[in-house]
Amino acid sequence: MSISVSTTGRSGLVYLVGAGMLWGTGGLLGTLLGRATGLSPIAVAACRLAVGGLLLVALLAASRRPWPRNPLAWRRIGAVAALAATFQACYFGAVSASSVSVATLVTIGASPVAVAVLEQFTGRRAVDRMRAATIGLALSGLALLVGVPTDEVAATGLLVGAALAVGAACAFAAVTVISARPVPGLDSMTTTGLGFTGGAVLLAPLAVLTGVTFEPSLGGFALLAALGLIPTAIAYTLYFRGLPDAGPGTAAILALLEPLTGALLAAIVLGERLTPLGLLGVGLLITALLLTGRRSARTS
């Protein structure tokens, strides 16, 4: 029995590591898509959810997989749709009000803290010293990697941006915690496909208000397909698949692979150089991720 559980826990880690690394391509692909098509950031987010969700819905239909019939399953799908739309709207609202660095630092940094608070509050898992130290190490690495915001942002914009970023972190934490408990008759692919399609519908009015002008080109469509497939359809399916086995606390820490992968890709593809402090941040993040994976393997 112990061997089976341990194997299951390790497989959950593998899924989550894959999700975090694939998420790291999202920033690069989204940036390139915006440049190629002229779409606003919120429109890019809506298209990302729509393409990723519809690709999975088409795959579900082609495989003739039955639709969920359990009311609890549809409530879960509705919650994922609402939280996905909330996360995207709050994050890009934070970018608009403050800056990319502020939005990224607060959103990704606050997510594991919000998950820990939710688990402590609901009694699912207590926050011990080791977990608190690991979260602190991860946040320190993230701050060094992203850097202290140097953009000239007004105090009001900074506060509004930080508040929206915390909202995005809470939405991500909520979907992480609720999705850690499986629902009978509902798998990860169905959750992602139907949930993200619903999220795109909810986000569509806001996308229209911010501008959905699309300059069609072969490269633009290729980038849109890649954005919807790699960091969205595949990554979130892996994330929802690994959550029940590894747990929300572990998942929230491993999600920090996203900025780590994004920074490395930006250095390789866009020629952005990591500063010495950024490299130190990479080391701290990797250390926190290894500690998280090791502890999860021991407890599973």
Side-chain angles (χ1 to χ4, degrees):
M1 177 66 70
S2 61
I3 295 177
S4 174
V5 173
S6 179
T7 301
T8 300
R10 284 197 298 270
S11 67
L13 290 177
V14 171
Y15 287 125
L16 293 176
V17 168
M21 294 181 69
L22 292 179
W23 278 337
T25 66
L28 176 63
L29 290 172
T31 299
L32 295 176
L33 178 62
R35 291 177 182 177
T37 62
L39 288 171
S40 68
I42 195 69
V44 169
C47 290
R48 173 183 181 177
L49 291 180
V51 173
L54 291 174
L55 283 174
L56 289 177
V57 168
L59 182 59
L60 292 170
S63 61
R64 297 183 179 179
R65 186 171 302 186
W67 296 101
R69 296 184 179 181
N70 185 350
L72 183 60
W74 283 106
R75 285 199 291 271
R76 171 66 60 81
I77 291 170
V80 169
L83 289 170
T86 300
F87 172 81
Q88 296 291 342
C90 286
Y91 175 75
F92 285 106
V95 171
S96 177
S98 54
S99 67
V100 174
S101 58
V102 170
T104 300
L105 183 62
V106 177
T107 299
I108 299 179
S111 295
V113 177
V115 168
V117 170
L118 283 175
E119 286 196 298
Q120 178 78 30
F121 181 76
T122 58
R124 293 187 177 188
R125 181 184 174 189
V127 181
D128 55 23
R129 292 182 180 178
M130 183 62 184
R131 185 180 183 189
T134 303
I135 292 175
L137 186 65
L139 296 185
S140 299
L142 176 65
L144 292 174
L145 178 62
V146 175
V148 178
T150 57
D151 310 66
E152 295 183 0
V153 182
T156 301
L158 187 62
L159 290 174
V160 172
L164 288 171
V166 169
C170 290
F172 181 79
V175 79
T176 295
V177 172
I178 67 172
S179 299
R181 290 186 175 180
V183 172
L186 183 64
D187 56 60
S188 57
M189 185 181 295
T190 304
T191 300
T192 309
L194 296 178
F196 280 17
T197 300
V201 172
L202 293 175
L203 204 57
L206 189 58
V208 171
L209 290 176
T210 59
V212 289
T213 302
F214 189 94
E215 297 179 7
S217 67
L218 183 59
F221 284 116
L223 287 169
L224 180 59
L227 180 64
L229 180 64
I230 299 172
T232 309
I234 298 176
Y236 275 97
T237 297
L238 292 176
Y239 189 70
F240 289 136
R241 174 63 183 84
L243 262 175
D245 297 334
T250 299
I253 294 293
L254 292 181
L256 291 168
L257 276 166
E258 176 183 359
L260 180 59
T261 305
L264 295 176
L265 283 176
I268 295 171
V269 179
L270 300 179
E272 297 181 5
R273 294 185 179 181
L274 287 172
T275 64
L277 286 179
L279 291 173
L280 177 59
V282 169
L284 293 179
L285 270 176
I286 291 175
T287 302
L289 293 170
L290 290 176
L291 288 174
T292 300
R294 184 178 180 183
R295 189 179 189 199
S296 177
R298 283 181 176 179
T299 57
S300 56

